[in-house]
Amino acid sequence: MKHIKLFLINAFYMFVMGSSYPLIPLYLEELKVGVIEKGYILTGAALLSALSSLFWGYLSDRTGKRRIFVLAGGLGQTLTYLLLSFPQSMETVIPLYLISGFLGSATFTLVMASAGSSEGEVSEAMGNFWAGGSLGWAIGTAASGYIFEKYGLAFVFLISTAFLASYTLLAYSSSRDLVKREEEKKRESSLPLMMALLLLLVFIFVCVDVLKNLYIPPHYAYELGIGPAVAMLTLSFTSWLEIPSIFFFSRLARKVSRWVIFASSFIFAAAYLALNCFASDVFHAFTLMGFYSLVWGSFSVSSSTLVSELTETYGTAYGAYNMVYSIANIAAPLLASSIIDSFGYNTLLQVFAVLSLASCFTAILSARKQLSR
């Protein structure tokens, strides 16, 4: 029952993110926000979300009151989305958007911490969590464009409010407060070396994921000539395929080392990037995006499960894990734009394919170290 809740929690949350996140720049456009100012707002929101993930996780570990923060964050984000569904000025929209990200990171981070510290098979819990996220994202991104064109952006926020309210109730009911044990009090709060290594590898992988979302679809649309609509459809296609992929790798994680699956995700990522250098038509586009479901399925389950194996300060650890996602989403476009401008699109793919292979070897060495203990 708890795993079903985790599936629904992330399905609801990623429906909201898939519905609203891509439309936020359009909302700012309607408010006549300049290009430079828009960039500052979006980057500032990502930075705030990164820091707040670590803040809420650390606060949860320090106080042991995880459920209070889950509820407060969820209700706060629900309220900000409700307010955004009403006509607003730029002076109110920007603070509300920033507050929403700050509060939302509390619930999402601490739900992951609860899943990571749950009794039983953690990989199965994480598998259900991420599978729900892929479903929510696939439906949200598909539905938001139609709702936006038919009823306007305010209606998108209003529907998202209802989903956030349901998400909050499910998150509160599935989370639990920390049980402070004497041996945990003696444990240092700093993350171990292996955890730091994991976060570095996660950063590299999420940069690859940013390329898949922001740079490869435009290449399909304009360089291969398949058009924006079909190019975006490839993203929805891979989200649907991610669901069985995630379930497969969550079950495989019961039999083999999580580090082995984690290393495999980088092999898949390197192959995905390298093969995209040779993509030439719509068949290649859909085939490669379909292949990406193996990349994400293996990574999401293994990386989030490894967090729970490397530390017992779950709130802080999952806060750091989510913080890396936000940092990578800021850094990757800067790195990618610089490489494309200097060397071209294919060089970008080749550079990150090599980085992925190097990450694979690093993860394999880490797996050997873990298994030898």
Side-chain angles (χ1 to χ4, degrees):
M1 182 63 181
K2 181 170 183 177
H3 290 172
I4 294 176
K5 282 186 178 180
L6 286 172
F7 181 92
L8 291 174
I9 286 169
N10 209 18
F12 286 159
Y13 188 72
M14 287 302 167
F15 175 89
V16 172
M17 293 298 101
S19 297
S20 60
Y21 179 71
L23 297 179
I24 290 295
L26 294 178
Y27 197 26
L28 296 175
E29 187 86 20
E30 285 186 355
L31 296 172
K32 308 300 181 185
V33 177
V35 175
I36 301 299
E37 291 80 2
K38 189 191 302 181
Y40 286 146
I41 293 167
L42 295 175
T43 303
L47 282 172
L48 182 62
S49 178
L51 295 174
S52 60
S53 295
L54 190 59
F55 167 77
W56 290 116
Y58 175 77
L59 195 61
S60 169
D61 285 337
R62 290 286 294 177
T63 64
K65 302 298 183 183
R66 182 182 291 162
R67 299 188 81 198
I68 291 176
F69 299 126
V70 166
L71 183 62
L75 290 177
Q77 190 177 28
T78 301
L79 178 59
T80 56
Y81 265 67
L82 179 61
L83 293 174
L84 284 168
S85 68
F86 294 98
Q88 303 285 340
S89 65
M90 185 176 70
E91 289 74 17
T92 56
V93 164
I94 294 172
L96 284 173
Y97 179 52
L98 295 176
I99 291 169
S100 171
F102 175 77
L103 294 172
S105 62
T107 306
F108 187 79
T109 297
L110 298 180
V111 165
M112 287 194 73
S114 288
S117 60
S118 62
E119 297 178 359
E121 184 56 53
V122 176
S123 64
E124 186 177 346
M126 286 300 178
N128 280 271
F129 179 80
W130 286 116
S134 291
L135 176 64
W137 184 265
I139 296 175
T141 51
S144 61
Y146 173 80
I147 297 171
F148 172 68
E149 288 186 2
K150 187 81 173 176
Y151 303 104
L153 192 57
F155 200 69
V156 175
F157 282 117
L158 191 61
I159 292 175
S160 296
T161 300
F163 274 86
L164 281 173
S166 301
Y167 154 78
T168 300
L169 291 175
L170 282 170
Y172 180 75
S173 66
S174 68
S175 62
R176 58 189 179 88
D177 285 337
L178 298 172
V179 178
K180 293 283 186 179
R181 298 191 297 270
E182 288 301 317
E183 61 269 23
E184 288 181 359
K185 293 179 182 179
K186 298 175 185 179
R187 186 183 293 270
E188 292 183 3
S189 60
S190 60
L191 297 176
L193 180 61
M194 289 294 289
M195 183 67 192
L197 174 63
L198 174 68
L199 294 177
L200 175 61
L201 296 178
V202 168
F203 171 80
I204 294 172
F205 183 93
V206 178
C207 286
V208 173
D209 195 59
V210 172
L211 300 186
K212 164 254 182 181
N213 286 320
L214 299 184
Y215 290 88
I216 290 179
H219 179 75
Y220 288 168
Y222 301 112
E223 297 301 321
L224 303 190
I226 68 174
V230 178
M232 293 303 293
L233 188 60
T234 64
L235 291 177
S236 180
F237 176 65
T238 193
S239 291
W240 286 104
L241 291 182
E242 284 168 5
I243 298 171
S245 175
I246 289 169
F247 281 130
F248 169 76
F249 283 108
S250 67
R251 282 156 179 73
L252 184 63
R254 299 177 185 176
K255 302 176 182 178
V256 301
S257 167
R258 274 74 161 178
W259 280 106
V260 172
I261 298 176
F262 186 57
S264 299
S265 70
F266 286 99
I267 295 178
F268 293 144
Y272 169 78
L273 293 167
L275 289 171
N276 264 290
C277 293
F278 305 99
S280 60
D281 55 33
V282 67
F283 174 77
H284 290 157
F286 274 96
T287 300
L288 288 170
M289 279 299 191
F291 178 77
Y292 191 83
S293 64
L294 296 177
V295 183
W296 181 254
S298 55
F299 168 80
S300 59
V301 172
S302 60
S303 63
S304 55
T305 304
L306 282 171
V307 173
S308 70
E309 294 182 1
L310 296 176
T311 181
E312 288 189 16
T313 54
Y314 296 109
T316 305
Y318 280 103
Y321 178 82
N322 285 319
M323 179 180 70
V324 168
Y325 274 70
S326 297
I327 294 174
N329 274 277
I330 297 169
L334 298 175
L335 292 170
S337 298
S338 177
I339 294 172
I340 289 175
D341 184 58
S342 301
F343 304 104
Y345 172 80
N346 277 2
T347 301
L348 171 71
L349 298 180
Q350 292 162 10
V351 166
F352 277 93
V354 171
L355 281 174
S356 296
L357 285 177
S359 299
C360 171
F361 291 131
T362 304
I364 289 172
L365 292 175
S366 301
R368 291 181 63 182
K369 185 176 179 180
Q370 287 289 104
L371 292 172
S372 64
R373 290 182 176 180

